[in-house]
Amino acid sequence: MPSHDVLVIGAGLAGQRAALAAAEEGVSVGIISKVHPVRSHSNAAQGGINAALNPGDSWESHAFDTIKGSDYLGDQDAVEIMTREAPEEILHLEHLGVTFHRNEEGKLGTRAFGGASAARTYYVADITGQAIMHVLYEQLMKYSEQIARYEEWFCSSLAIDENGECCGVVTRNVADGSMELFQAKSVILCTGGNGQVWQPTTNALICTGDGIAMAYRVGAKLMDMEMIQYHPTTLAGKGFLITEGARGEGAHLLNAKGERFMEKYAPNKMELASRDVVSRAEQTEINEGRGFPDGTVALDITVVPKKRVHEALREIVLVGRDFAGVDITREPIHIKPGNHYTMGGVKTDVDGRTDIPGLYSAGETACVSVHGGNRLGANSLLDTLIFGKRSGRDAAARAKRTDYAHVSKKVLEDEEQMVADLMSREKGSGRRISEIKRELGQTMDGKVAVFRDEAGIQEALEIVKRLKEEAKSAYIDDHGSVFNQDLIAAIELGYMLDNAECTCVAALERKESRGAQYRTDYPERNDEEWLKHIDLERTDDGPEISYSEVTITQWEPQERTY
Amino acid sequence: MAEYTIKVRRFQPESGEGPYWEEFNVDLDPSLSVLDGLLQAKDRDDGSLAVRCSCRAAICGSCGMKINGQSGLGCKTQIGEAQELADKQASAAGTGSDGNSIVIEPMGNMPVIKDLITDMESTHWTKIRRVTPWLLPHGEAPEREYVVEPESMIDITQSMACIQCGACVSSCLSMEADPDFIGPAALAKAYRFVGDPRDAETSERLHDLAEDPHGIYDCTHCFSCIDACPKGVAPMDQIMRLRRKAGEEGIEDPNAGHAHEVAFVKVIEKKGLLDEALLVQESYAPGIKGKLKPSKRGLTETIKSLPTILRPLRKRKVKLRQAIPGLHHGLPKDSMNDVKSIYTHAEEHNEEFNLYIKGEEGELIDENVEKGIERSTDPDTAEAK
């Protein structure tokens, strides 16, 4: 049985950072990823990473912007930690070799971003996530003796010992189909978000909420699952992302009449208000007939000097050209709000610890919570790195003071049985996996999106429950061992349905409007009743609801305007 | 919506059969991608059709493949355009002008595992690790950031833009001939460190890459990788930069490529035409100094090139005048002025070509637009202005 003191599941930024931090503590580390690490979705973070590093800026200012952005649902102790540790992390990345943009003096330069009161976003053109992730992967290659990489291994279940502590994971080598039980003293879930539950989404096909569902299934609490971010600038249909950096560089949002409509919604910050605010503004324009016939508004980047576009927004020049047939340097591009980010997730403390001893989580999978009801642009990379690092360190410390627990083979046998069951279903015995996935995505995008109401969410929940039943008889075509992507898609569908059910239940429960949760039937924020987190725990009858307090240190909730 | 037939080279390793072709009919909007077409076939017809993919937006680098023989990303190739190319190719081959299948194959220069999935570990990633792909700074890191020229970061960002998709490796002709060639992706990655002012082992890296017989001088300058790269990394350009830096480091180029380039420029500047005999001499024994005191290598290379000169002389393809260095005629004087102006222009615009600075060819920054001068979209009136 392969054993590692610390086992990291997922190799995006959070996972790679966690693995490196754990290895620095001198423990043995394994990192498992269902795709090659550099294919991870952290790649897609274009705009940058926030830190109050400039003289004149302060972590308090960064923290306040984050908390205001979260619509006061973020836990302020966690936000303080993240914003205080941010500058050191940026410098650490720079020292490792990230090619951050420089100002004329050759020092780190910044750009403006949404919801921020200072230009504190550090960046590499508009490939910031990719540039950082590839540099971390360089470090993984460098420290290959301390960190074993399991590239293209898919995890299907966590192993829990008789004391209720996490002691390993069942995983399948995608290349040959062999299944293994890995033993560990600490397991860190860094599998990203669940964007694929919605269609369309900016998220990659791999973002199927694996870690969230795996933790939920073994009894870990989930938190803030109703908080799903819709990004203001995505391409209609395909859902491709146009970075907020475009607006950071000065691009305008226009309705079909050519009006800069953000004047009405956020007269001070205009296009750089929080994402929930901008997305609602756009959706209102579209719903009230001031959008284009294709259900979009326009993002006008032609106001940004061309030289600057080539230097700083290179990637979206290509996205516009290759995926929309638009030269963004010459004409506005049509965009709309689209599913983008999971603010909620596995409930953790500031060291990544979940309710289950030995089980950690970081990055988009986790909910610490630093993002609360709405994440600020360029805070996600920061979240992955700070809490990835902290989880890695704490997981290593735990590993040093504990021994390997006895791992029962039963969990492996159960998973082998699950796979055998899936393989044995007759072709045509039920629906195709892809059909169920499509219906799920369209349902969620239609009913649990920018604007929500009780009837819609309830309807979505019913559909999700039906789809869960249908998934039990859905069949796959591929019965082989080598790269059986069909089988993996079937398991992922199960993960997505659990995620969807939790989001519906939490969205139904929160009877107010806060951050990304906008209930047309409860349009006001209601601090008296709802300044609290919604926690969910699995039971055989579905998620059970409980509440936890929001930690407030020094910023009392105020009215939120931009 | 339009209908397409995609013809996929399949390989199911557990079947005991060899590779085979299978056609799928798909229908989707022409602006959607070849990957979308494959996923539709997979969703509707056969879930065992294997293809790596994730982001669908040309950033994760999973879906490298050959489409109509060209290496690239499935998600970045529009299916309508792939159809046009398939028709064009068929029409050129005289096998019908429309309704041809779009041919999809796994990437080249890599073992195939299943259908479109190749073994990148044994080829691509092994080569990446060959170039010591991490920063090697000297001494303690500074308290704050390393202070570096802003342009240096933009310069290597072109290499950082690489998504490790393997399309360049798939298309590399040198690697086809020499599977041990370090190759375009790994060498572009190497430039990311050689060009990084924070890296302290520039010289060691250059010697390593130059002295490896499968290193930077193994590239044959064929441009395939530049065509294949979906991110504008231009791997061959990065290899040429490595060679230039190696030259500056005093490393001898076994192909005499740099000396050849300098000689070529010099000969054309002088005569306007290529005096091949002079080119050989100037490449190996440049200037008066070279002639008076030729290096040992200069002498051997000149002697080695003699048969190449004598053969066409014997067959009367070349006149004696052309075979003796310096006797070849030049361009008339007025034409030489034109040549001169090309050189002057090149000198005045002596900048590195880099996407992050200038955009791609054909979309170079239009100064009028920059200054806010309106540009008519009507070509007729535009010319009148």
Side-chain angles (χ1 to χ4, degrees):
Chain A
M1 187 184 327
S3 303
H4 295 282
D5 288 327
V6 174
L7 204 51
V8 182
I9 305 176
L13 276 184
Q16 295 194 30
R17 187 68 184 87
L20 289 164
E24 257 173 51
E25 301 297 317
V27 298
S28 78
V29 181
I31 184 165
I32 303 176
S33 173
K34 67 177 177 179
V35 291
H36 188 283
V38 304
R39 315 296 175 214
S40 303
H41 190 57
S42 305
N43 262 336
Q46 298 170 340
I49 176 166
N50 287 333
L53 184 59
N54 275 333
D57 199 359
S58 69
W59 70 265
E60 288 94 340
S61 165
H62 183 188
F64 173 71
D65 289 342
T66 302
I67 289 158
K68 180 182 172 189
S70 80
D71 220 347
Y72 295 92
L73 191 64
D75 287 310
Q76 299 186 2
D77 55 338
V79 175
E80 285 191 16
I81 285 173
M82 181 176 82
T83 53
R84 275 173 192 264
E85 293 183 7
E88 190 194 315
E89 187 66 17
I90 300 285
L91 294 174
H92 174 66
L93 294 172
E94 198 280 327
H95 295 157
L96 290 182
V98 176
T99 57
F100 283 117
H101 172 81
R102 306 291 159 144
N103 61 23
E104 282 173 5
E105 295 168 43
K107 296 178 179 165
L108 295 173
T110 54
R111 68 162 41 128
F113 237 64
S117 46
R120 63 167 74 93
T121 303
Y122 294 86
Y123 64 99
V124 181
D126 54 357
I127 55 168
T128 313
Q130 177 192 328
I132 297 175
M133 195 167 71
H134 282 242
V135 167
L136 289 193
Y137 188 67
E138 290 165 11
Q139 297 297 309
L140 282 191
M141 291 190 278
K142 181 176 177 185
Y143 294 106
S144 60
E145 278 177 23
Q146 290 91 329
I147 304 170
R149 303 193 303 273
Y150 299 92
E151 296 169 349
E152 301 193 310
W153 285 67
F154 179 82
C155 294
S156 62
S157 182
L158 295 168
I160 304 293
D161 71 10
E162 49 213 14
N163 299 323
E165 303 191 2
C166 187
C167 58
V169 60
V170 179
T171 173
R172 177 185 175 89
N173 183 349
V174 179
D176 65 12
S178 60
M179 289 180 69
E180 289 260 22
L181 179 57
F182 279 46
Q183 191 180 29
K185 296 175 183 171
S186 309
V187 173
I188 312 177
L189 293 168
C190 307
T191 62
N194 61 20
Q196 281 293 317
V197 172
W198 283 257
Q199 290 301 337
T201 173
T202 62
N203 282 202
L205 295 165
I206 54 173
C207 301
T208 47
D210 303 12
I212 297 175
M214 274 190 280
Y216 174 69
R217 289 174 184 183
V218 295
K221 273 187 183 150
L222 307 184
M223 187 167 90
D224 297 346
M225 284 297 286
E226 70 280 21
M227 296 303 180
I228 299 295
Q229 182 164 77
Y230 268 61
H231 191 288
T233 54
T234 71
L235 293 185
K238 293 187 179 182
F240 291 155
L241 178 67
I242 305 288
T243 175
E244 184 166 305
R247 282 171 287 139
E249 300 290 343
H252 296 169
L253 287 168
L254 306 172
N255 63 19
K257 293 168 155 176
E259 294 162 341
R260 224 181 136 186
F261 57 84
M262 284 311 296
E263 282 167 0
K264 284 185 288 185
Y265 304 91
N268 297 318
K269 296 295 288 184
M270 297 292 285
E271 283 83 358
L272 288 178
S274 271
R275 287 177 175 175
D276 58 329
V277 174
V278 180
S279 283
R280 269 195 298 281
E282 291 175 4
Q283 198 61 51
T284 304
E285 292 295 304
I286 295 163
N287 292 352
E288 293 178 358
R290 292 184 296 276
F292 293 96
D294 58 348
T296 60
V297 290
L299 177 68
D300 184 5
I301 306 171
T302 64
V303 293
V304 181
K306 244 190 171 185
K307 183 169 182 291
R308 185 66 190 152
V309 172
H310 283 302
E311 179 186 306
L313 300 171
R314 179 77 214 152
E315 188 60 32
I316 59 165
V317 173
L318 300 179
V319 169
R321 190 191 69 191
D322 297 330
F323 299 110
V326 171
D327 179 353
I328 59 155
T329 64
R330 291 178 193 276
E331 55 181 318
I333 186 164
H334 286 198
I335 49 87
K336 61 179 287 195
N339 173 279
H340 183 59
Y341 187 83
T342 315
M343 265 84 68
V346 183
K347 183 184 174 75
T348 72
D349 68 8
V350 295
D351 289 313
R353 289 182 284 225
T354 70
D355 291 337
I356 296 175
L359 182 63
Y360 292 76
S361 182
E364 198 172 340
T365 310
C367 183
V368 189
S369 155
V370 283
H371 307 305
N374 171 69
R375 174 175 70 76
L376 290 193
N379 263 356
S380 67
L381 292 183
L382 186 60
D383 170 21
T384 63
L385 294 162
I386 299 297
F387 294 104
K389 173 189 75 183
R390 294 178 68 94
S391 301
R393 284 182 187 164
D394 202 81
R398 177 187 148 86
K400 283 181 185 171
R401 60 173 189 264
T402 53
D403 293 323
Y404 283 112
H406 170 74
V407 192
S408 159
K409 287 257 178 193
K410 188 173 178 303
V411 59
L412 176 61
E413 288 157 16
D414 287 350
E415 289 306 291
E416 283 169 343
Q417 188 58 47
M418 179 270 295
V419 169
D421 285 349
L422 259 167
M423 296 274 205
S424 68
R425 291 176 200 164
E426 292 273 318
K427 188 167 178 141
S429 62
R431 297 180 77 186
R432 289 183 77 79
I433 302 292
S434 54
E435 279 173 28
I436 299 177
K437 188 181 167 187
R438 196 173 315 116
E439 187 178 349
L440 172 67
Q442 287 167 355
T443 301
M444 296 300 281
D445 191 58
K447 301 182 195 303
V448 196
V450 175
F451 292 113
R452 308 164 172 183
D453 62 25
E454 180 164 342
I457 305 167
Q458 188 66 49
E459 222 175 302
L461 181 59
E462 295 308 319
I463 293 173
V464 170
K465 285 180 178 167
R466 168 171 58 79
L467 296 176
K468 278 186 113 166
E469 282 306 308
E470 290 174 355
K472 289 178 185 165
S473 61
Y475 67 95
I476 56 175
D477 299 329
D478 194 339
H479 294 171
S481 304
V482 178
F483 274 91
N484 190 333
Q485 299 177 316
D486 224 9
L487 173 75
I488 287 170
I491 301 172
E492 287 173 338
L493 177 68
Y495 291 154
M496 287 193 281
L497 287 164
D498 280 356
N499 277 264
E501 184 180 22
C502 290
T503 293
C504 290
V505 167
L508 209 52
E509 177 67 9
R510 184 175 289 283
K511 294 175 181 60
E512 66 153 355
S513 291
R514 181 186 301 272
Q517 157 98 342
Y518 192 95
R519 289 279 300 257
T520 54
D521 42 356
Y522 300 96
E524 300 296 324
R525 191 175 90 191
N526 178 353
D527 285 345
E528 216 152 284
E529 285 178 75
W530 290 105
L531 185 60
K532 58 188 178 189
H533 298 291
I534 296 174
D535 298 346
L536 299 176
E537 202 173 339
R538 202 200 83 89
T539 72
D540 288 341
D541 305 319
E544 188 180 84
I545 297 167
S546 57
Y547 307 102
S548 54
E549 270 183 34
V550 174
T551 309
I552 290 175
T553 56
Q554 50 172 304
W555 295 279
E556 285 301 320
Q558 304 166 4
E559 197 195 342
R560 184 164 167 259
T561 54
Y562 283 99
Chain B
M1 285 288 191
E3 285 183 17
Y4 301 95
T5 303
I6 52 176
K7 184 177 171 186
V8 186
R9 185 181 162 90
R10 300 200 61 180
F11 172 61
Q12 295 278 318
E14 292 160 276
S15 68
E17 308 283 319
Y20 61 100
W21 292 97
E22 186 170 0
E23 293 196 340
F24 296 93
N25 294 318
V26 294
D27 69 297
L28 62 169
D29 191 90
S31 71
L32 291 175
S33 69
V34 167
L35 177 66
D36 289 322
L38 284 162
L39 290 179
Q40 192 182 87
K42 189 179 167 83
D43 283 353
R44 282 188 194 170
D45 303 324
D46 186 355
S48 75
L49 176 59
V51 54
R52 282 196 188 100
C53 57
S54 180
C55 74
R56 304 159 297 132
I59 41 179
C60 78
S62 299
C63 65
M65 60 183 73
K66 278 187 181 173
I67 301 162
N68 297 317
Q70 296 184 338
S71 298
L73 292 178
C75 71
K76 194 170 176 275
T77 310
Q78 291 189 353
I79 197 157
E81 286 174 4
Q83 180 69 59
E84 280 172 31
L85 181 62
D87 290 342
K88 217 161 103 187
Q89 287 175 347
S91 149
T95 53
S97 57
D98 58 56
N100 296 285
S101 306
I102 297 162
V103 179
I104 303 171
E105 297 164 90
M107 287 194 283
N109 288 327
M110 299 174 207
V112 176
I113 297 175
K114 178 180 180 180
D115 294 341
L116 300 174
I117 295 178
T118 56
D119 176 6
M120 289 190 71
E121 171 56 30
S122 71
T123 46
H124 178 79
W125 287 107
T126 306
K127 288 167 193 285
I128 292 284
R129 291 193 292 271
R130 158 69 186 82
V131 303
T132 320
W134 46 82
L135 195 73
L136 295 167
H138 274 185
E140 286 283 299
E143 202 171 305
R144 293 273 304 197
E145 68 270 38
Y146 288 97
V147 177
V148 296
E149 286 292 318
E151 285 74 23
S152 66
M153 287 293 116
I154 297 176
D155 176 47
I156 54 174
T157 294
Q158 186 172 14
S159 291
M160 278 309 302
C162 170
I163 55 175
Q164 311 293 348
C165 68
C168 59
V169 173
S170 168
S171 74
C172 179
L173 295 177
S174 293
M175 207 182 283
E176 231 174 278
D178 172 16
D180 292 332
F181 176 37
I182 296 175
L187 289 174
K189 183 85 179 169
Y191 182 75
R192 169 251 177 289
F193 300 103
V194 168
D196 193 326
R198 296 169 295 184
D199 194 276
E201 310 235 337
T202 310
S203 174
E204 291 84 344
R205 287 179 188 277
L206 287 168
H207 277 278
D208 173 38
L209 299 169
E211 285 155 16
D212 186 327
H214 313 288
I216 50 178
Y217 299 112
D218 210 8
C219 165
T220 58
H221 227 134
C222 77
F223 286 81
S224 293
C225 60
I226 295 186
D227 282 347
C229 178
K231 303 305 286 186
V233 174
M236 191 192 83
D237 286 358
Q238 312 309 330
I239 299 173
M240 294 310 134
R241 284 173 171 173
L242 288 170
R243 286 191 187 175
R244 208 172 309 140
K245 295 227 175 203
E248 287 163 16
E249 195 67 31
I251 296 169
E252 200 177 310
D253 172 356
N255 303 338
H258 181 65
H260 200 65
E261 184 186 311
V262 171
F264 195 98
V265 171
K266 203 163 130 190
V267 171
I268 301 285
E269 187 177 19
K270 197 172 158 195
K271 300 196 136 181
L273 289 172
L274 185 60
D275 180 343
E276 284 182 77
L278 190 58
L279 180 67
V280 174
Q281 203 183 69
E282 282 294 321
S283 295
Y284 297 111
I288 295 171
K289 209 174 149 201
K291 313 249 172 343
L292 293 176
K293 226 184 150 188
S295 66
K296 197 177 154 205
R297 180 162 177 225
L299 282 174
T300 51
E301 292 290 343
T302 313
I303 292 163
K304 259 164 64 185
S305 66
L306 275 177
T308 320
I309 304 165
L310 292 175
R311 228 177 296 127
L313 258 182
R314 215 167 38 221
K315 296 197 169 172
R316 295 174 186 228
K317 286 192 173 167
V318 167
K319 294 180 186 136
L320 188 62
R321 190 158 44 87
Q322 290 169 300
I324 297 173
L327 286 187
H328 196 289
H329 67 90
L331 282 181
K333 203 171 176 196
D334 52 336
S335 303
M336 276 312 290
N337 288 338
D338 292 340
V339 171
K340 189 86 204 148
S341 73
I342 293 172
Y343 275 76
T344 316
H345 181 89
E347 260 166 47
E348 284 168 3
H349 298 78
N350 184 18
E351 291 165 26
E352 288 275 343
F353 180 70
N354 185 313
L355 285 175
Y356 285 85
I357 297 169
K358 297 174 114 185
E360 276 175 50
E361 239 175 322
E363 55 168 356
L364 292 180
I365 297 159
D366 185 326
E367 282 168 14
N368 289 334
V369 172
E370 197 80 333
K371 286 177 198 146
I373 297 168
E374 260 199 62
R375 215 183 124 99
S376 171
T377 46
D378 182 348
D380 295 324
T381 54
E383 214 171 293
K385 275 182 189 172

